[in-house]
Amino acid sequence: MPLELVNGFGHVYLTIEYDAANHWVYNNWLGIQTYIGIIAGADACLHPLREHQCAYLLNDNRHVLGPWDHAVEWIAKDWAPRASAQGLTHFAQVISPEALAATSGEAMHVGIGNQLQIRQFSAIEEAQAWLRQAQNKQ
C-alpha cells in the first residue's frame, strides 16, 4: 500500500511505494514542490529503501510543475550521502516535460555526481529498463 504525503492544502504531493515484483521503491511526485515537502518526501522514501534492503529508486517527476531547484543542494549534500550509506546504488529519474521542473532535475543530477548511479529519462519505460538491466548485472 503506497504512502501518501499531503501538503498544507490537503493535496497529495508524493506517493511512495515499494514494488516487490521489481525490487525498487517508486516515488511519484505531483504538482508544485516546496522545500519542506521535498525534504519530508525524500526522507520518507529512505524508510522503504532501508526496510526492504533496496538499492534501486524509480523517481517519477512527470507530474511535477515548476522549479524545485531550491532543494537541489540539500538533496546532493544531505540526502544522497545518507541514501548511499544505507545501500541505494541506482537512482532513475523520470523528468517532467515542464521546462522549469526539468531544469531542476538536471541540476540535481549534476549535484549528486558520483555519489550514486543516477540517470535521467523522459519515458518511465526507459527508466524501468535501466533499473532492470542494473539488477541483472549484480
Side-chain angles (χ1 to χ4, degrees):
M1 182 166 182
L3 170 65
E4 294 184 340
L5 278 71
V6 178
N7 64 22
F9 298 105
H11 298 112
V12 174
Y13 72 91
L14 171 63
T15 61
I16 302 169
E17 185 169 16
Y18 174 68
D19 182 337
N22 290 299
H23 191 55
W24 61 53
V25 171
Y26 174 67
N27 288 344
N28 186 22
W29 296 86
L30 308 163
I32 297 170
Q33 300 298 316
T34 66
Y35 181 77
I36 298 297
I38 291 169
I39 290 173
D43 279 344
C45 88
L46 292 177
H47 177 72
L49 287 167
R50 184 174 47 254
E51 180 182 355
H52 298 284
Q53 299 178 353
C54 184
Y56 306 95
L57 178 62
L58 178 55
N59 205 53
D60 188 349
N61 282 1
R62 291 177 295 168
H63 305 289
V64 170
L65 301 172
W68 46 272
D69 52 326
H70 46 275
V72 167
E73 183 176 354
W74 177 85
I75 292 167
K77 293 186 176 173
D78 187 303
W79 181 85
R82 291 185 293 125
S84 178
Q86 75 172 42
L88 180 65
T89 60
H90 290 77
F91 187 128
Q93 173 88 0
V94 184
I95 60 172
S96 171
E98 201 268 339
L100 292 174
T103 301
S104 296
E106 180 59 33
M108 183 191 70
H109 183 263
V110 170
I112 287 178
N114 295 329
Q115 296 179 69
L116 301 167
Q117 293 290 322
I118 183 170
R119 292 265 316 264
Q120 292 193 87
F121 303 90
S122 57
I124 195 163
E125 297 82 9
E126 294 170 352
Q128 293 167 330
W130 179 72
L131 288 174
R132 285 186 189 105
Q133 181 181 29
Q135 291 170 336
N136 291 333
K137 288 182 180 179
Q138 294 196 10

